[in-house]
Amino acid sequence: MQKLKTPYKFTANSHTLMKLLRFTLVLAGCFAFCRISAQDPYFVQAIHANKSDVCRGEQVLLSARVANANYYEFQFLDPGSGHWVRLSSGSIDTTLSLIEHLYYSAGSSFTVRVLLRNSRSEITGDAMDIRVHHPVFDIQPQDLTQCNGGEVIFRASVAGASSYHWESSTNGLDFSPLSATTKFKDINTPHLKVTGIINSHHGLVFRCRVKDVYQCEALSAPAVLSVNQLSTSVSPTTSTAFCEGDS
């Protein structure tokens, strides 16, 4: 007697065929959709900067890789109006292209993005923040006057500073880094100490060079050291040393 095929096997085969049919339809639909959407401009690589943390006055190179666009525009966000403003723009081949913009002398932090366009549509990429750093002194060195043989301390301070180094000049124009000696101490701290002051120190100009954690530099205001001479007043009973300018 011939055995009948079980309903279970027949049902399983039917389900398999239905799955294959649905999968074929999905592939066909995806293929048609992909062919259409491929005509739209798109980013192969989003906007990128050679440095996202820069020092004030440095240049920033912005770039992106794009495709299917015949026009691009680098934009920055105007903090005053809240509108996107064109930095630069250009026409490009609709195939894969590298686009760039060199941002000269960044003065403050800013936000940028890229707009792409072709005859079909227009898109904008994600925004990117460029952070601009510059150390700011909260304490500046002040001019000081001291007697020959005395001691002074010049002070400077910057919040978040990673390094300090003091410099000196005899004319206030040409500065050289100080080296630690018996006369100049704590040259790599916020407080420069000048001890055993001598006549040749008169008129020396000091300033402090500071760096932050991003290696951004700032120079303090200059401060002048004035040296007064000692003189001796003699009376019948005692002699007293006076510094010029003392009363």
Side-chain angles (χ1 to χ4, degrees), residues 147-200:
C147 288
N148 192 306
E151 174 182 299
V152 295
I153 297 177
F154 291 95
R155 304 177 189 276
S157 177
V158 171
S162 62
S163 70
Y164 291 84
H165 196 90
W166 289 87
E167 302 174 346
S168 68
S169 171
T170 56
N171 58 14
L173 298 174
D174 304 310
F175 284 83
S176 299
L178 282 171
S179 298
T181 65
T182 56
K183 300 292 185 183
F184 303 113
K185 300 178 180 179
D186 302 330
I187 61 172
N188 293 317
T189 74
H191 311 122
L192 170 67
K193 183 182 292 185
V194 184
T195 63
I197 293 173
I198 57 178
N199 292 341
S200 61

Side-chain angles (χ1 to χ4, degrees), residues 44-152:
V44 177
Q45 181 186 40
I47 188 170
H48 173 77
N50 60 331
K51 293 174 69 175
S52 58
D53 289 281
V54 300
C55 301
R56 191 171 71 180
E58 281 188 338
Q59 296 180 346
V60 184
L61 180 62
L62 306 172
S63 63
R65 290 189 179 274
V66 303
N68 286 355
N70 52 30
Y71 174 84
Y72 73 89
E73 188 172 293
F74 284 94
Q75 302 174 333
F76 79 96
L77 183 62
D78 181 3
S81 65
H83 297 149
W84 289 96
V85 181
R86 183 176 67 87
L87 279 170
S88 66
S89 60
S91 299
I92 50 177
D93 190 283
T94 54
T95 57
L96 178 65
S97 297
L98 171 66
I99 58 174
E100 294 181 329
H101 172 80
L102 185 60
Y103 195 102
Y104 291 95
S105 190
S108 58
S109 299
F110 59 98
T111 302
V112 290
R113 73 178 186 182
V114 173
L115 175 146
L116 298 179
R117 183 186 303 150
N118 65 15
S119 59
R120 176 183 174 81
S121 63
E122 176 181 292
I123 65 168
T124 54
D126 293 335
M128 179 181 188
D129 293 325
I130 305 296
R131 296 170 294 273
V132 179
H133 304 276
H134 179 68
V136 177
F137 285 86
D138 45 56
I139 297 177
Q140 292 276 11
Q142 303 296 313
D143 294 344
L144 297 175
T145 300
Q146 183 56 279
C147 288
N148 192 306
E151 174 182 299
V152 295

